[in-house]
Amino acid sequence: MRIDTGFRTLASQFFDLFHRTQDGGGALAVYLHGEPVLDVWAGWATPVDRWQMDTVALSFSTGKGVASTVLHRLAERGVIEYDAPVAQYWPEFAAAGKEGITIRGLMSHRAGLHRVRGLVRGPLGLMDHAAVTAALAASAPDARSPRMPGYHAVTYGTLVAELATRATGTPFAELVRTEIAEPLGVPEFWFVVPPEERHRIAKSFPRITPFRLLPWETTSFALSRIPGLRGVADAGMPQGFDELVRNPAIHDVAMPGWNGVFNARALAKMYGALANSGSVEGIRFLRPETVAQMSEVQTTDRDYVLGIRMNWRLGYHSALVASRTQYGHAFGHYGLGGSGAFADTESGLALAFVTNRMGNALTPLTDLRMMRLGAQAQSIARRL
């Protein structure tokens, strides 16, 4: 492990999360000004196995930040343009009035294609990338999308993956390898996990059913009938999703909206570059002007799915979205159950946290561990 002097209190706060087997396990990594300052892990990867240095975890929407970074690497080389229509690269996308939707609009969740509930038939339908992309291309955008963003909880990753593949002719999992993993020298950026590495994946628990006692389908149906919560069900609660996330076959298919498998070390290094004008440990990953573009707030309007202001950037949200203290230069992406990563271009701080323990005692959909660790790290970084 690595614990630089200034970050001992943060390490202690992390270790306090994992005292019992039922607490599960996790890993925390921090970069400051492009250099590693913290790399720790603790707890249990399974009920009988301790979390190890090489343990990785299913990190849900945390992967949206990785997928978005692929697009920024392509944009930097001119392969795509932020203000070009998505249909310029993916002609079928123009159907049903979507010909004017730009990549910038898509990356800031303003494409109006948040609905995944009922998009394809059955839970296994989400693993059919061709069927999902065809359904999205044929769908009409939500009428609210020109005025306000709506979080594409599951569909965002598929849209980004198809766009990147159409623009390059390269499968998305390979693009993640060549655009992220290889330049950074870290292999653990996986949407398709190599079979020989799958023994390293921590076992996620408990089930992701909201409010624990109610079946997934019952909750999804009930929420879809409540006006203020309908968007959450439509965007993030497709049929059988609670069973799908436990199916080992999800590691065979790239679904970048939710099935990314990472360790904290890998995520922190990527965000460490974003926090340090595009460079990390002597590696030039992105140009400073690209980082400035990707971190610029695109909309401050209330998100019609989540009901709050996410201050969407190009593929990322505010770093401490549920905190009273906001840092205008900090952005990243969190995942269901607790994982997440962010960069702060002002302080030079980057932090990543992965875990297999889903949520709090009431529901796995709510988890404040990442927020608390991030707030503590920000306080430390600003004192150093």
Side-chain angles (χ1 to χ4, degrees):
M1 296 187 185
R2 176 176 189 143
I3 307 174
D4 282 19
T5 302
F7 289 87
R8 287 175 180 170
T9 57
L10 181 62
S12 295
Q13 183 178 348
F14 166 78
F15 290 133
D16 282 344
L17 297 174
F18 305 107
H19 288 301
R20 306 165 301 170
T21 306
Q22 56 264 43
D23 294 330
L28 176 69
V30 177
Y31 274 69
L32 187 63
H33 305 306
E35 297 296 332
V37 293
L38 186 71
D39 184 3
V40 292
W41 53 92
W44 284 262
T46 76
V48 296
D49 299 307
R50 299 288 301 206
W51 198 285
Q52 301 295 328
M53 178 180 180
D54 66 347
T55 301
V56 292
L58 178 64
S59 298
F60 294 93
S61 288
T62 304
K64 290 186 178 73
V66 176
S68 298
T69 305
V70 171
L71 286 189
H72 291 300
R73 292 263 302 178
L74 298 179
E76 183 172 275
R77 300 200 304 276
V79 178
I80 61 171
E81 296 179 4
Y82 296 120
D83 293 311
V86 174
Q88 178 176 317
Y89 310 93
W90 178 4
E92 297 91 335
F93 187 85
K98 300 193 300 299
E99 63 277 357
I101 295 174
T102 63
I103 293 175
R104 186 181 300 276
L106 170 62
M107 295 187 73
S108 52
H109 295 264
R110 292 179 291 172
L113 296 173
H114 69 285
R115 293 184 183 86
V116 69
R117 182 178 164 86
L119 184 68
V120 291
R121 183 170 298 180
L124 296 183
L126 288 177
M127 293 197 294
D128 186 340
H129 179 79
V132 176
T133 54
L136 288 169
S139 297
D142 190 281
R144 295 166 289 183
S145 59
R147 296 178 285 109
M148 55 202 305
Y151 180 43
H152 293 41
V154 175
T155 60
Y156 179 84
T158 300
L159 291 164
V160 165
E162 184 66 9
L163 169 61
T165 296
R166 293 292 187 113
T168 62
T170 303
F172 189 72
E174 185 175 343
L175 285 173
V176 174
R177 178 177 60 81
T178 58
E179 297 295 336
I180 308 293
E182 290 180 352
L184 292 175
V186 183
E188 290 92 352
F189 290 97
W190 292 318
F191 294 103
V192 176
V193 183
E196 66 274 14
E197 304 289 0
R198 296 184 186 185
H199 69 280
R200 296 168 53 186
I201 303 174
K203 180 178 176 58
S204 299
F205 74 97
R207 296 169 67 90
I208 67 171
T209 304
F211 313 117
R212 298 279 161 81
L213 298 178
L214 296 178
W216 177 268
E217 302 302 337
T218 301
T219 305
S220 177
F221 178 80
L223 293 181
S224 72
R225 295 299 187 269
I226 302 173
L229 298 174
R230 182 178 299 140
V232 173
D234 287 345
M237 300 187 70
Q239 178 188 356
F241 191 66
D242 59 328
E243 295 293 339
L244 182 62
V245 300
R246 301 162 67 87
N247 188 334
I250 64 171
H251 302 305
D252 296 332
V253 183
M255 295 174 282
W258 66 274
N259 81 331
V261 172
F262 317 106
N263 57 27
R265 191 176 308 112
L267 291 167
K269 189 169 186 179
M270 187 192 84
Y271 278 97
L274 305 188
N276 192 49
S277 300
S279 294
V280 63
E281 294 187 272
I283 301 167
R284 170 57 66 188
F285 182 62
L286 287 165
R287 294 196 295 262
E289 55 267 32
T290 304
V291 176
Q293 173 80 273
M294 63 201 294
S295 61
E296 182 180 346
V297 176
Q298 301 295 309
T299 173
T300 58
D301 292 322
R302 182 179 61 84
D303 187 290
Y304 65 76
V305 170
L306 298 174
I308 59 176
R309 288 175 171 82
M310 299 293 288
N311 295 327
W312 288 111
R313 280 73 166 172
L314 290 176
Y316 319 90
H317 55 67
S318 294
L320 302 179
V321 68
S323 172
R324 292 181 179 179
T325 303
Q326 290 293 316
Y327 299 93
H329 297 88
F331 61 96
H333 215 295
Y334 300 169
L336 175 73
S339 72
F342 70 84
D344 186 336
T345 58
E346 184 174 66
S347 67
L349 175 79
L351 179 146
F353 172 68
V354 300
T355 180
N356 62 340
R357 175 63 168 85
M358 303 282 292
N360 62 23
L362 175 63
T363 169
L365 305 184
T366 303
D367 189 288
L368 297 179
R369 288 173 294 175
M370 176 69 189
M371 299 289 184
R372 291 167 181 156
L373 292 168
Q376 175 71 2
Q378 288 281 30
S379 177
I380 294 170
R382 279 164 167 72
R383 293 198 307 265
L384 293 177

